[in-house]
Amino acid sequence: MTRFVSIGECMVEMAPQGKSGQYAMAFAGDTLNTAWYARRLSPDWVVEYATAVGYDPVSDQMVDFLSDAGIGTDFVRRVDDRTLGLYLIALRQGERHFSYWRGQSAARIMAQDGPFLLRAMHDADVIYFSGITLAVQEGSGRDKLLDAVARARTRGKTIVFDSNLRPGLWDTPRQMCDWVTKAAALSHVVLPSHDDEARHFGDKDALATRDRYVALGASTVVVKNGPGLIHYQHDGARGVTEPAVVSDVVDTTAAGDSFNAGFLTAHFGAAEIEQAIHAASNVARRVIQGRGALVAI
């Protein structure tokens, strides 16, 4: 039985419902999405979500949502005078645009309590976090988060990192790249997306993205590349695979998050590396044929 601990921010999502002008509320967030899909793909896994929320009704609703989804809430930290972050989706000519309100988010101070993070990671087999997890931390939170990850690694935990580059969450692109590099250097498995990496790190192709993370010490790197070829390296072996073909894309939200869940559940379920990538690609294919971040698969 694998114990998987995902660390990050779960937000309130307000999504438009057709042309009615009404919105529906849901919960989503990159690391939460991956935990949600992992729980469905591997029911025998113990999946925990580590975050922080307030004491208000919407925070209670989010915790109930996690519990109902079979995701453990023992490491959901409660804090005073904070609540959940919120984002609103606007549709313009069929494209989704996002507006965010994060100033009140309890997850921004999650890592201020270093012992909380250490407790969350203590019994984990696999620890998963992202560049967004890092980006939203206030004050010394980023240092404390990476310190806890480093300690977990020394105790034999497997560290998985999705760089998930979001420059709007950082003071400067250079700051973002520096922190993402620090996080990747602590990780066994890195799951970047080439388009973002090329834009901010200047990688000329997916191979360059793969090789840069391998050079930082990752033993497994799988470079997501939209509909393009997926380049990987695992335990010194390099290769390339083709993603599943999708002709009827409805909504690409959570494509990468669901890919990560598909890959990790297959990979840590003893699948060969290319089998795990194909499984991940098939999960993402099904997800982008549905609407929203969390799609029944």
Side-chain angles (χ1 to χ4, degrees):
M1 181 176 65
T2 297
R3 184 175 291 273
F4 179 78
V5 175
S6 185
I7 305 169
E9 179 186 32
C10 181
M11 302 183 73
V12 176
E13 175 192 84
M14 299 301 295
Q17 301 301 292
K19 297 180 180 180
S20 66
Q22 296 183 331
Y23 282 75
M25 189 182 86
F27 299 101
D30 67 328
T31 56
L32 180 277
N33 300 340
T34 297
W36 192 89
Y37 283 111
R39 184 70 184 86
R40 272 144 191 77
L41 292 166
S42 285
D44 57 329
W45 278 26
V46 175
V47 177
E48 298 271 359
Y49 196 60
T51 190
V53 301
Y55 286 99
D56 56 306
V58 73
S59 294
D60 292 341
Q61 283 183 260
M62 192 275 278
V63 174
D64 290 342
F65 164 78
L66 294 176
S67 295
D68 291 345
I71 298 171
T73 60
D74 288 348
F75 304 112
V76 175
R77 181 185 168 207
R78 296 276 191 165
V79 297
D80 292 316
D81 302 321
R82 295 271 180 147
T83 182
L84 305 184
L86 178 147
Y87 67 91
L88 183 144
I89 300 170
L91 295 176
R92 299 174 189 166
Q93 298 179 335
E95 292 294 323
R96 290 160 63 97
H97 299 266
F98 299 85
S99 298
Y100 291 91
W101 291 266
R102 268 193 167 103
Q104 77 283 12
S105 171
R108 291 171 61 85
I109 59 172
M110 166 182 58
Q112 296 294 333
D113 185 345
F116 160 77
L117 288 176
L118 294 175
R119 291 193 300 274
M121 299 179 189
H122 186 269
D123 292 325
D125 299 304
V126 179
I127 296 165
Y128 174 77
F129 72 115
S130 74
I132 294 177
T133 309
L134 266 178
V136 300
Q137 300 308 310
E138 294 180 1
S140 61
R142 293 169 187 161
D143 285 307
K144 290 182 177 180
L145 174 59
L146 292 191
D147 178 69
V149 169
R151 293 187 184 201
R153 178 171 175 140
T154 64
R155 296 198 304 273
K157 312 301 182 182
T158 298
I159 310 300
V160 181
F161 180 65
D162 179 348
S163 52
N164 223 341
L165 304 174
R166 296 294 183 268
L169 297 175
W170 300 88
D171 294 335
T172 66
R174 173 46 53 195
Q175 180 195 47
M176 174 182 70
C177 292
D178 287 347
W179 279 98
V180 164
T181 298
K182 291 178 186 178
L186 295 173
S187 303
H188 300 92
V189 180
V190 180
L191 302 170
S193 296
H194 173 62
D195 284 350
D196 292 339
E197 303 288 329
R199 187 176 304 115
H200 299 294
F201 281 95
D203 298 339
K204 65 179 182 179
D205 52 32
L207 282 79
T209 299
R210 179 197 67 192
D211 292 347
R212 178 166 50 81
Y213 284 113
V214 168
L216 291 172
S219 56
T220 302
V221 178
V222 178
V223 183
K224 293 164 285 185
N225 196 20
L229 296 176
I230 299 169
H231 290 265
Y232 69 86
Q233 180 161 328
H234 173 62
D235 289 346
R238 298 180 175 185
V240 59
T241 68
E242 291 189 44
V245 176
V246 184
S247 58
D248 52 345
V249 176
V250 173
D251 184 347
T252 59
T253 304
D257 306 331
S258 60
F259 180 100
N260 292 351
F263 175 76
L264 295 172
T265 53
H267 178 58
F268 292 113
E272 297 292 333
I273 184 68
E274 290 205 0
Q275 291 176 323
I277 293 171
H278 284 303
S281 180
N282 283 324
V283 171
R285 174 182 58 81
R286 297 199 298 274
V287 168
I288 64 177
Q289 291 175 310
R291 195 171 297 281
L294 305 179
V295 177
I297 55 173

